[in-house]
Amino acid sequence: MGSKQLERSDLGALFRELAAEGRTIVGPTVRDGAIVYDEIATDNDLPIGWIDEQSAGSYRLVRSGRDGCFDFVVGPHSWKRFLHPPQVRLWSARREGQRLAIEEAGHESPRYAFIGVRGCELEAIARQDRIFLEGEYVDATYRGNRQDSFLVAVNCGRAGGSCFCVSMGTGPRAGAGYDLALTEVIDEQRHYFLIEAGSESGRALIDRLPVREAGAVELAAASARIEATEASMGRSMETDGLRELLQARATSAQWDEIAKRCLTCANCTMVCPTCFCTTVEDVTDLTGDHAERWRSWDSCFTMDFSWIHGGSVRPSASARYRHWMTHKLSSWIDQFGTSGCVGCGRCITWCPVGIDITEEVRIMREAADREHAAEEGVQ
Amino acid sequence: MAIRSEATGSLSDPMTPRIFVVERFRRELHDTFTLELTPGPGMAPIVYRPGQFNMLYAMGVGEAPISISGDPAQTGQLIHTIRSVGAVTEALGRLRSGDALGLRGPYGRPWPVEAAAGNDVLIIAGGIGLAPLRPAIYCLLAERHRYGRVALLYGARSPREILYRRQLERWRARFDIEVEVTVDRAAPEWRGSVGVVTTLLPRVQFDPDHTTVMICGPEVMMRHVARDLIQRGVAEEQIHLSMERNMKCAIGFCGHCQYGPKFICRDGPVFDFHSIGGLFGVREI
Ligand SMILES: Cc1cc2nc3c(=O)[nH]c(=O)nc-3n(C[C@H](O)[C@H](O)[C@H](O)COP(=O)(O)OP(=O)(O)OC[C@H]3O[C@@H](n4cnc5c(N)ncnc54)[C@H](O)[C@@H]3O)c2cc1C
Ligand code: SF4
Ligand code: SF4
Ligand code: FES
């Protein structure tokens, strides 16, 4: 099946069809000065006419002057909020005398439809799938939320100020894993979407939408928009040999330099779409005979994270930042076969002091190159 | 896109403990005790290999990773030796015969008792570190003919902190295992060795080219022992250690146990020195 085109005025039909399938629709919407992901009902809930101006340590919504539905990029939320929720009740325990009974929470998982999943985000979901679904153990909560999800991707029509997906090979065009992919095109005459199916369920859904075959003009316009995004991306990260580079630089003085700025606030880990760490906690009632076990997002930037009897393994900010960045860009490759970074730029934007992971990698490389050159000189 | 999923039906979460019951509580030292557990009604026994651990859940308090310290051949009997150091381990220490607890496991990669066949074997433990090694000792002694010389070197802080004392004496009485014990601080009645466990190394005979070493104890102790062994010519690949980090899941989900690129719960806790040696000297890793 070739690509189709869907008029902007018909975008509502996509929402209606997904709702008719009994799906919980989640998508971008404006809230408290940011674009967040939440349950939305119609296309009117989308951040129409808004763009997000982003740079290191800064995020601001501004009017775009046109009525694009997806002209922004990514905000502080990611889909992990729904697939790997910030707080989950795992099970509850009851004590009767000496006996103990444990009962799983057994959540009802919604049948999610995610609207507006970017290329970097599709990859982030794939990387969390790897952790929670494709290893020796399967996380029941993640599986429940993920197993019947329907993903509507959006090819990015504008490069955000913190984005570097091109260098990470994850965008701006959505790669594998979507059910439908949209490219929004607005020209003098028309406002429409190029719509492509990536799965059987996507194809079946397109059949129920008021679409027309896309012609050469529409295909070219959509491609041109994605190519323009690619060409205008301001940031990049050189990933060649990064795994080895960071392993070799565990004792670099640069970590202390970064630590002078890092507040260990954990923002970067909370906004990162791949960061997956959690902690667990028991909540008990007054009698102590009933307990609930909760799991919540955790961050390697806290002192407690690495606590063992006698103290924290990583008391210094330097060691904690090193752990985070080395995990993302190096250890992840050993653990899961890919980088843990998809180039979404969230950690750059939402860092209160504007620490930029691409810049830190650049400095790290330059230091390594200088040392290498010095060694060559000696020989 | 939806994930490929096998038939529907609810999936049991790997974070859910099973119920076990305390058969016996035994005090070992002033702060250390042993729990003998049996499966609760309808629960299958745990089949494990030496060096593996379980997550033990104390009602309303939380979970802690605790190595299995019994004899793997005695199926149906599950033994844990625990030192009370904080909330969970103290709550576990309040359990008595008939009390129930939650348990998940077994987890982790075992001591290389199979691969050690044909070699001399050195077991080197510090403090509570003897508990995770005891299953390996049982295995070695059960098939003693498969190994060369076998020695156990144990260091405790003081004579009253020597774990499994009577068992150590029984083993020492055997001719097929050499048992050496040292204490950091001697007491008046102590007639044995004084000093850290590395001081015992020169006393034992082994063939560095054909020796398997298993070490468990505080990280500094393991570092010194490994260094001395490497100097004696033992290959890094033959030196195995059990590592410890904070653990919230034991199944590769929580991220807490990371040690460089390794997950200690999944890739360890037993590692050979070669695979982690580069991390050993790095501070705060
Ligand atoms: C693989 C493995 C095997 C172990 N085997 C044994 C054993 O056989 N016997 C024994 O007595 N102890 C063992 N330990 C150590 C034991 O898990 C800790 O002493 C225990 O977790 C402390 O928890 P707490 O709540 O009592 O202490 P607290 O200090 O109150 O714990 C606070 C937090 O830190 C974590 N924590 C504290 N100390 C440690 C530690 N040393 N290792 C990992 N996490 C820690 C706990 O999970 C808890 O979340 C083992 C640890 C690991 C990783
Ligand atoms: S590390 Fe930063 S840029 Fe990379 S995926 Fe996480 S938030 Fe996005
Ligand atoms: S890098 Fe920035 S966002 Fe991350 S912990 Fe440090 S200050 Fe917070
Ligand atoms: S203990 Fe959770 S990842 Fe290892």
Side-chain angles (χ1 to χ4, degrees), chain A residues 212-244:
Chain A
R212 285 179 296 140
E213 210 63 44
V217 175
E218 288 81 20
L219 286 170
S223 284
R225 187 150 191 222
I226 302 169
E227 279 153 26
T229 305
E230 193 164 332
S232 64
M233 194 158 293
R235 280 177 217 272
S236 65
M237 184 188 286
E238 171 60 58
T239 55
D240 245 18
L242 195 50
R243 171 179 168 268
E244 296 73 17

Side-chain angles (χ1 to χ4, degrees), chain B residues 246-257 263-266:
Chain B
N246 189 305
M247 289 191 180
K248 296 294 182 195
C249 75
I251 53 178
F253 288 170
C254 79
H256 281 251
C257 69
F263 284 109
I264 288 187
C265 68
R266 185 185 87 173

Side-chain angles (χ1 to χ4, degrees), chain A residues 91 98 104 131 138 140 146-147 149 151 177 179 198 276-278 282 298 305 307 309 314-316 319 322 327 335, chain B residues 1-3 12-17 57 59-60 85 97-100 107 246 253-254 256 258 261 263 283-285:
Chain A
W91 42 264
Q98 284 190 305
E104 279 190 18
I131 299 163
V138 172
R146 178 75 176 94
Q147 64 183 351
S149 54
L151 308 185
D179 294 285
F276 58 89
C277 292
T278 52
D282 262 32
D298 200 4
F305 189 86
W307 185 272
H309 176 60
R314 300 182 202 102
S316 73
R322 176 185 68 193
H327 184 213
Q335 295 167 352
Chain B
M1 200 188 295
I3 52 162
S12 174
D13 194 89
M15 289 291 278
T16 310
Y57 170 69
M59 171 67 189
V85 297
S97 172
D99 287 340
Y107 298 119
N246 189 305
F253 288 170
C254 79
H256 281 251
Q258 285 178 83
F263 284 109
R283 289 185 55 209
E284 295 188 48
I285 199 87

Side-chain angles (χ1 to χ4, degrees), chain A residues 121-142:
Chain A
E121 299 187 302
L122 271 178
E123 257 309 314
I125 292 172
R127 286 173 202 191
Q128 288 212 329
D129 285 354
R130 193 70 156 261
I131 299 163
F132 293 121
L133 302 174
E134 293 163 21
E136 191 182 341
Y137 297 93
V138 172
D139 182 68
T141 307
Y142 188 92

Side-chain angles (χ1 to χ4, degrees), chain B residues 71-113:
Chain B
D71 182 351
Q74 306 281 317
T75 48
Q77 177 205 50
L78 191 60
I79 289 181
H80 287 286
T81 295
I82 304 164
R83 190 157 77 98
S84 296
V85 297
V88 174
T89 45
E90 275 162 18
L92 292 170
R94 287 191 290 272
L95 296 175
R96 291 297 177 269
S97 172
D99 287 340
L101 52 67
L103 183 149
R104 304 188 280 125
Y107 298 119
R109 291 155 59 92
W111 296 112
V113 286

Side-chain angles (χ1 to χ4, degrees), chain A residues 45 80 102 128:
Chain A
D45 296 329
K80 81 174 178 185
I102 291 179
Q128 288 212 329

Side-chain angles (χ1 to χ4, degrees), chain A residues 2 18 40 45 109 118-119 124 135 172 174 180 194 199 205 235 245 248 262 286 290 292 309 318 346 371 377:
Chain A
L18 290 170
I40 55 176
D45 296 329
S109 321
R118 308 304 175 119
L180 292 178
L194 187 78
S199 71
L205 197 119
R235 280 177 217 272
L245 182 95
C262 177
L286 284 176
H290 187 263
E292 288 189 342
H309 176 60
S318 168
R346 284 180 178 89
E371 281 166 29

Side-chain angles (χ1 to χ4, degrees), chain A residues 164 272-273 324 328 340-347 357:
Chain A
F164 56 103
C272 178
W324 178 69
K328 296 265 89 159
C341 175
V342 296
C344 74
R346 284 180 178 89
C347 58
I357 191 169

